[in-house]
Amino acid sequence: MAVPSSPGPDPLAPAPAPAKKGGIPVWAIALIVVGVLMVCGIGAMATTAIFGTRKYITKSKEAEGRSSVAQMARDVATCAMKEELGTGVLARGVGGAKPRGLPLTTAPVPKSLSEVSGKKYQSAPRDWTGPGWDCIGFSQVSPQYFQYEWERKSTTDGVARARA
């Protein structure tokens, strides 16, 4: 028995349109991927910026303490030389003390460490007075993050401090 043959597709007829598939279009997926990558990139940059800013602030605060202690040490050395020569503030009898060698111990400025704990302290000129400070001539006119003091241990030994 012979099977009737069916005519094949007409080569001149237009091709049928592809069947529409359900789901998310490719452009939407690409947009979502780019958005997620942007959010991750911005988060990484923000984290780096926060870390860098904190590091910068810490270094700048440390620089205040280091430079001020170095200046105080230079001022102490100058004061000691003037006192040895008899031309210093203390050698002239101001304050009633006449030390030999390094200047007398100073009161810390500010008086309490809690005054600079986590904040700046604005000292007044009267804070930097007394036999030791008068001789050293050191003071801070701008707000400070540290408590400064000079401690004389002997006529040839002493310590300049900046506490935070």
Side-chain angles (χ1 to χ4, degrees), residues 24-38:
I24 302 173
V26 174
W27 64 268
I29 294 172
L31 188 62
I32 290 170
V33 168
V34 168
V36 168
L37 291 176
M38 283 180 59

Side-chain angles (χ1 to χ4, degrees), residues 18-105:
K20 195 169 190 180
K21 297 179 185 176
I24 302 173
V26 174
W27 64 268
I29 294 172
L31 188 62
I32 290 170
V33 168
V34 168
V36 168
L37 291 176
M38 283 180 59
V39 168
C40 291
I42 290 171
M45 288 188 292
T47 302
T48 304
I50 290 169
F51 174 75
T53 302
R54 276 192 181 170
K55 188 175 177 182
Y56 172 78
I57 290 171
T58 301
K59 292 284 184 189
S60 68
K61 287 178 182 179
E62 286 176 10
E64 175 203 319
R66 289 179 195 272
S67 66
S68 295
V69 166
Q71 181 61 48
M72 192 185 318
R74 287 189 295 271
D75 293 346
V76 164
T78 302
C79 172
M81 286 190 310
K82 287 179 181 177
E83 295 304 322
E84 285 297 314
L85 294 173
T87 60
V89 171
L90 297 176
R92 292 192 306 258
V94 176
K98 295 183 181 183
R100 285 298 211 200
L102 296 175
L104 300 173
T105 298

